[in-house]
């Protein structure tokens, strides 16, 4: 699986929880700035009024918590990708623990491998090639620090044996049954790669690579065939990859192509041939190239396949003698583009269900397997497992994984014309016929940063809203990755205002089509998505009724002017450097949510922040909330007497502990989700169930 550059400050996640693949970058929903923690200096007035406003939603919150819990239970049996198949056993996670059972034995003789249920959040799991060892990272609750547990596996009934614990580990991969490569995380930066040889009596971590450029981030991965371990060095616009061959794990890493400013590339391998995904196509978009393993430099790169302009890439896998690309086509739907490596001119497209929004490849079940396995989901559709047979060119779905039946609904792919004429895609889910949506409540979603696709994984509470008659709209604005690298560049750095224009155009277009109305419209986002949401509220507050922000990045200017913060230097490629360039400073100042607040009627707002967040400076969130309350009161002339104009609700839900991605504890997470739903219904004056029919 291709490892794309790690997003250093933010990863787009919904309020709901999902469990990515064991093979993917993150297992579970943990991972991740801190200026300071604690709420010292926060206005006591702000905290007290927020507490009072939350109190009026308590009854609804309790009701919603029961419904959300029921929804999670309804889908608790839906299979996900948290399964690894070894040579002799299948490994799976349940309740925070890792188990295994022998292949072909069904549910018999299940053996406990690792119990983490009382010690933190399970993140990532890797099984050694010969199934002799297993490594797993566990994140302590309320902390971003992860420890890596390395176990020696024996044959049942012999229990696994804990060999050692590594602290502060970010990524790791096995090169062989005895050699593990891993990166360490310090101050939210991963810059060192170590090798651990378990054959030695007292294994010691040996430094094999250190990145000295503070803008670069390093992680280790392995190719799908497990013949290569790759050391991937990335910043926002440039990458460099080193490799270690699995049959010579103690050899020094070998450089594929020295970094060139603006060159991004990723590597896969099969049959002594590298397959490279690089932005060497016209317009600096991605294309697939090949090079001999013995001569991997750019001078040996030969083009294999170039996707159409505007194609958004989700993943690339090399399966047997095929390259499989999961793409978002310019028209919107997900699809597979299959490139036969023997004759790339015979590329063909596999259509996927129109409702599919999220794609995740599944672990390889064997190098000789002709099937490519993956899962598809949407915000309202739980993951369905699919298998595509490359020999027969047939797509199969495992019907048993569908979960409870989904109420009939519609998935619409729309385009809104932005201010400069650019067509901006939207994905809209609704139950009622198109002509009957004027009175439907609307929940909008946006992100638009770091070249990331807007997160559209399954979320039980989104399904609850759909069942209750809500319209769910996802705005794929510039700054994200839905239309390729150029789509990101068109909405980043000095072009960040384009994402704001796109968002406003999407909302207006929905109203023009007869979908909902401003009095029923809500915008929900998190982390970097709050930049566009906050800017929209400053410039076009009349478009929305409420806004909910989770772990929001709101003081861009203040943050990017403080190089002492852990991630400011790394993020200059996304936001600019206001200290070094006055034009860049003026650009950031023009849209920064915190620095453009003015007396006017704002939407009601629920801001959820975490005292333990080490990615978004808490001070910026508090500053924004205080300024917003002051502006809201200034708009009504400070009047608070009976009969006077009522200011909008501005609620700061400051949670103790928790990191940038929210609480690890399921119960706390359910409370947070229920609070969000109670806020939406309470501010709109809706009763649960009134929009079902």
């Amino acid at each position: 699986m291709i490892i794309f550059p790690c997003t250093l400050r933010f990863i787009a996640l919904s309020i709901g929880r999902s469990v990515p693949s064991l093979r993917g970058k993150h297992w579970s929903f943990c991972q991740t700035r801190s200026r300071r923690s604690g709420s010292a200096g926060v206005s006591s007035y702000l905290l007290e009024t927020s507490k009072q406003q939350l109190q009026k939603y308590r009854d609804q919150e309790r009701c919603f918590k029961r419904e959300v819990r029921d929804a999670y239970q309804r889908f608790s049996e839906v299979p996900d990708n948290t399964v690894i198949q070894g040579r002799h056993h299948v490994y799976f996670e349940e309740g925070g623990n890792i188990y295994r059972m022998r292949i072909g034995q069904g549910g018999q003789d299940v053996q406990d491998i690792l119990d983490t249920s009382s010690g933190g959040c399970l993140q990532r799991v890797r099984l050694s090639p010969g199934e002799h060892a297993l490594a797993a990272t566990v994140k302590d609750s309320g902390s971003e620090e992860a420890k890596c547990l390395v176990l020696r596996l024996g044959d049942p009934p012999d229990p696994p044996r804990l060999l050692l614990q590594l602290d502060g580990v970010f990524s790791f991969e096995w090169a062989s049954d005895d050699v593990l490569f891993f990166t360490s995380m310090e101050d939210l930066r991963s810059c060192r790669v170590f090798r651990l040889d378990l054959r030695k009596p007292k294994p010691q971590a040996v430094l094999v690579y250190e990145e000295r450029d503070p803008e670069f981030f390093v992680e280790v991965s392995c190719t799908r065939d497990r013949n290569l371990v790759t050391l991937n060095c990335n910043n926002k616009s440039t990458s460099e990859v080193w490799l270690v061959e699995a049959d010579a794990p103690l050899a020094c890493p070998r450089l594929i192509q020295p970094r060139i400013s603006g060159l991004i590339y990723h590597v896969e391998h099969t049959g002594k041939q590298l397959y490279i995904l690089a932005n060497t196509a016209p317009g600096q978009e991605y294309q697939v190239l090949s090079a001999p393993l013995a001569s991997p430099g750019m001078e040996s790169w030969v083009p294999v396949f170039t996707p159409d302009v505007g194609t958004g890439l989700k993943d690339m896998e090399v399966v047997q003698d095929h390259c499989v690309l999961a793409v978002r086509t310019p028209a919107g739907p997900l699809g597979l583009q299959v490139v036969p490596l023997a004759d790339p001119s015979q590329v063909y497209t596999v259509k996927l269900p129109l409702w599919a929004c999220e794609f995740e490849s599944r672990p390889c079940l064997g190098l000789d397997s002709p099937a490519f396995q993956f899962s598809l989901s949407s915000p309202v559709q739980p993951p369905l497992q699919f298998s595509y047979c490359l020999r027969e060119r047939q797509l199969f779905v495992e019907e048993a994984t569908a979960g409870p039946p989904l109420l009939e609904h519609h998935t619409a792919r729309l385009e809104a014309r932005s201010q400069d004429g650019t067509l901006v895609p939207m994905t809209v889910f609704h139950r009622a016929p198109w002509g009957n949506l004027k009175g439907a409540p609307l929940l909008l979603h946006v992100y638009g940063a770091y070249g990331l696709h807007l997160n559209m994984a399954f979320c039980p509470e989104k399904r609850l809203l759909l069942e209750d008659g809500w319209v769910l709209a996802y705005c794929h604005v510039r700054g994200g990755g839905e239309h390729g690298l150029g789509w990101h560049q068109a909405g980043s750095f000095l072009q960040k205002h384009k994402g704001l224009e796109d968002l406003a155009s999407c909302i207006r277009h929905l109203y023009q089509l007869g979908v909902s109305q401003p009095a029923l419209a809500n915008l929900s986002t998190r982390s970097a998505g709050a930049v566009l949401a906050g800017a929209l509220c400053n410039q076009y507050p009349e478009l929305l009724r409420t806004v909910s922000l989770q772990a929001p990045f709101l003081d861009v200017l203040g943050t990017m002017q403080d190089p002492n913060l852990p991630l400011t230097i790394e993020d200059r490629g996304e936001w600019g450097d206001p200290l070094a360039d006055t034009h860049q400073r003026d650009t950031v100042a023009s849209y920064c949510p915190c620095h453009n607040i003015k007396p006017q009627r704002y939407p009601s707002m629920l801001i959820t922040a975490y005292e333990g967040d080490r990615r978004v400076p808490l001070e910026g969130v508090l500053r924004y909330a205080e300024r917003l309350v002051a502006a809201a009161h200034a708009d009504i002339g400070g009047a608070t007497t009976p009969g006077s104009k009522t200011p909008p609700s501005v609620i700061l839900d400051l949670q103790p502990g928790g990191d940038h991605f929210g609480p690890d504890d399921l119960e706390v997470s359910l409370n947070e989700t229920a609070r969000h739903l109670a806020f939406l219904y309470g501010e709109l004056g809706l009763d649960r169930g009134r929009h079902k029919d």
Side-chain angles (χ1 to χ4, degrees):
M1 180 176 69
I2 290 294
I3 295 294
F4 292 97
C6 181
T7 302
L8 302 185
R9 180 177 286 124
F10 306 111
I11 296 176
L13 295 176
S14 66
I15 293 176
R17 298 301 190 177
S18 60
V19 185
S21 165
L22 287 175
R23 227 183 127 253
K25 286 168 63 175
H26 306 292
W27 186 8
S28 187
F29 18 78
C30 318
Q31 212 9 333
T32 60
R33 188 165 211 251
S34 156
R35 202 162 186 178
R36 295 183 186 91
S37 40
S39 54
V42 185
S43 161
S44 58
Y45 171 80
L46 175 59
L47 291 176
E48 184 59 33
T49 55
S50 295
K51 182 178 179 180
Q52 292 173 1
Q53 291 181 87
L54 284 173
Q55 190 63 39
K56 66 182 181 182
Y57 303 129
R58 290 303 182 199
D59 290 341
Q60 282 184 299
E61 182 181 329
R62 283 190 286 269
C63 293
F64 275 117
K65 184 176 180 180
R66 289 193 294 269
E67 291 199 49
V68 173
R69 187 191 302 278
D70 290 344
Y72 274 78
Q73 291 175 347
R74 284 165 61 195
F75 301 103
S76 62
E77 299 303 319
V78 175
D80 51 35
N81 286 350
T82 53
V83 174
I84 295 179
Q85 182 168 319
R87 293 190 175 185
H88 309 292
H89 300 85
V90 172
Y91 295 75
F92 61 96
E93 178 270 343
E94 186 174 305
N97 301 329
I98 301 176
Y99 303 90
R100 75 174 179 182
M101 57 186 179
R102 185 169 288 276
I103 295 174
Q105 294 293 317
Q108 302 176 0
D109 300 325
V110 175
Q111 182 185 21
D112 293 1
I113 298 298
L114 181 63
D115 183 352
T116 65
S117 57
S118 60
C121 177
L122 194 61
Q123 286 187 299
R124 192 187 298 213
V125 175
R126 295 294 184 267
L127 185 66
S128 71
E131 201 179 333
H132 296 298
L134 179 144
T137 43
V138 179
K139 175 182 135 351
D140 293 333
S141 179
S143 168
E144 294 190 24
E145 296 298 323
K147 57 188 177 184
C148 181
L149 305 177
V150 182
L151 293 85
R152 179 66 73 187
L153 300 175
D155 292 327
D158 294 339
R161 178 166 53 93
L162 180 64
L163 295 180
L164 72 163
Q165 173 180 312
L166 305 169
D167 294 326
V169 172
F170 174 68
S171 62
F172 56 100
E173 294 289 352
W174 293 99
S176 68
D177 282 320
D178 300 300
V179 179
L180 180 73
F181 285 83
F182 67 92
T183 60
S184 61
M185 177 75 88
E186 298 176 12
D187 292 329
L188 301 181
R189 182 167 179 257
S190 177
C191 61
R192 295 183 180 89
V193 181
F194 296 90
R195 183 183 63 229
L196 190 69
D197 188 349
L198 300 182
R199 293 170 296 188
K200 296 185 176 182
K202 294 183 178 180
Q204 297 291 325
V206 177
L207 180 67
V208 296
Y209 179 84
E210 182 170 10
E211 177 58 57
R212 299 190 180 278
D213 189 327
E215 289 192 9
F216 278 73
F217 192 94
V218 183
E219 57 186 330
V220 297
S221 181
C222 69
T223 54
R224 185 178 177 90
D225 63 5
R226 304 195 68 162
N227 285 329
L228 301 178
V229 171
T230 58
L231 285 54
N232 308 284
C233 314
N234 305 284
N235 71 2
K236 293 294 185 294
S237 61
T238 304
S239 60
E240 180 180 84
V241 182
W242 299 70
L243 63 83
V244 176
E245 298 186 43
D247 57 4
L250 301 184
C252 294
R254 185 155 59 98
L255 179 61
I256 293 178
Q257 165 60 40
R259 64 189 66 171
I260 299 174
S261 180
L263 174 65
I264 302 172
Y265 70 97
H266 318 277
V267 176
E268 259 295 348
H269 171 268
T270 186
K272 297 297 182 180
Q273 194 79 1
L274 296 178
Y275 288 91
I276 301 159
L277 186 69
N279 65 332
T280 51
Q284 291 189 303
E285 293 289 355
Y286 279 128
Q287 66 178 159
V288 180
L289 309 104
S290 66
L293 178 60
S295 179
M298 194 173 181
E299 66 279 358
S300 301
W301 294 3
V302 177
V304 174
F305 172 70
T306 302
D308 292 338
V309 175
T311 298
L313 188 62
K314 300 281 284 186
D315 197 2
M316 184 186 93
E317 300 276 5
V318 175
V319 186
Q320 286 194 325
D321 53 354
H322 293 76
C323 176
V324 182
L325 300 170
V327 301
R328 180 188 174 99
T329 62
L334 290 181
L336 300 180
Q337 291 185 330
V338 182
V339 185
L341 297 177
D343 186 1
S345 66
Q346 298 300 311
V347 61
Y348 61 93
T349 299
V350 179
K351 292 184 178 180
L352 300 177
L354 290 177
W355 54 260
C357 298
E358 285 290 337
F359 170 95
E360 186 174 353
S361 61
R362 294 166 64 185
C364 179
L365 297 182
L367 298 181
D368 297 327
S369 173
F372 174 53
Q373 297 187 311
F374 57 93
S375 68
L376 298 174
S377 65
S378 82
V380 296
Q381 171 63 53
L384 270 173
Q385 311 297 340
F386 287 81
S387 180
Y388 181 72
C389 183
L390 292 162
R391 292 175 184 167
E392 301 174 4
R393 296 193 178 187
Q394 287 188 317
L395 182 66
F396 301 94
V397 59
E398 301 174 19
E399 296 290 349
T401 68
L406 178 62
L407 292 176
E408 182 180 349
H409 77 288
H410 307 275
T411 302
R413 310 270 181 182
L414 308 176
E415 288 182 322
R417 191 171 297 278
S418 194
Q419 187 172 315
D420 62 0
T422 300
L423 293 176
V424 183
M426 290 184 287
T427 307
V428 180
F429 304 91
H430 60 98
R431 284 189 58 207
W434 192 258
N436 297 341
L437 298 177
K438 185 71 174 179
L442 170 66
L443 184 60
L444 296 143
H445 306 77
V446 72
Y447 192 72
Y450 298 108
L452 293 173
H453 294 243
L454 182 56
N455 180 43
M456 298 183 68
F458 176 62
C459 195
E461 55 266 32
K462 301 296 171 61
R463 179 150 166 170
L464 281 179
L465 292 175
L466 180 72
E467 292 172 349
D468 203 24
W470 284 67
V471 177
L472 308 177
Y474 292 77
C475 305
H476 307 290
V477 304
R478 281 174 283 186
E482 286 83 355
H483 277 340
L485 294 174
W487 195 250
H488 169 226
Q489 294 162 3
S492 64
F493 203 56
L494 299 179
Q495 303 297 318
K496 187 58 70 174
H497 63 284
K498 295 294 185 181
L500 170 59
E501 294 171 2
D502 292 352
L503 177 58
S505 298
C506 287
I507 298 172
R508 292 193 182 104
H509 187 57
L510 289 172
Y511 297 157
Q512 291 167 1
L513 293 174
V515 178
S516 197
Q517 52 190 290
L520 294 171
N522 314 266
L523 177 61
S524 178
T525 189
R526 72 172 338 272
S527 59
V531 175
L532 296 183
L536 183 81
C537 292
N538 287 332
Q539 295 196 31
Y540 310 110
E542 71 280 359
L543 292 178
L544 302 168
R545 176 64 182 85
T546 70
V547 173
S548 54
L549 306 175
Q550 185 186 23
F553 186 36
L554 293 161
D555 188 4
V556 187
L557 183 60
T559 300
M560 296 308 298
Q561 290 185 126
D562 189 349
N564 294 318
L565 291 171
L567 300 176
T568 294
I569 295 175
E570 290 94 322
D571 268 1
R572 287 171 178 168
E574 180 71 22
W575 310 101
D577 186 355
L579 289 177
D581 189 302
T582 56
H583 179 49
Q584 293 180 29
R585 184 194 185 283
D586 292 343
T587 299
V588 174
S590 70
Y591 65 77
C592 177
C594 193
H595 293 265
N596 288 279
I597 295 173
K598 55 191 174 185
Q600 61 180 347
R601 182 72 185 185
Y602 278 89
S604 292
M605 197 169 295
L606 172 63
I607 304 171
T608 304
Y610 308 99
E611 289 188 338
D613 191 337
R614 299 186 61 209
R615 293 194 172 269
V616 175
L618 183 59
E619 290 173 347
V621 179
L622 305 180
R623 187 181 302 115
Y624 174 85
E626 290 175 336
R627 290 180 179 179
L628 194 64
V629 169
H633 282 79
D635 177 54
I636 63 171
T640 56
T641 58
S644 62
K645 188 177 177 182
T646 304
S649 300
V650 178
I651 303 174
L652 175 62
D653 185 16
L654 185 59
Q655 294 292 313
D659 60 24
H660 182 67
F661 297 112
D664 299 329
D665 184 85
L666 176 60
E667 201 69 20
V668 179
S669 179
L670 292 176
N671 289 335
E672 189 175 288
T673 299
R675 195 174 306 125
H676 174 229
L677 294 175
F679 168 77
L680 293 180
Y681 277 77
E683 288 297 319
L684 268 60
L686 300 178
D687 294 324
R688 173 78 173 112
R690 64 177 292 182
H691 285 276
K692 282 188 176 182
D693 300 322

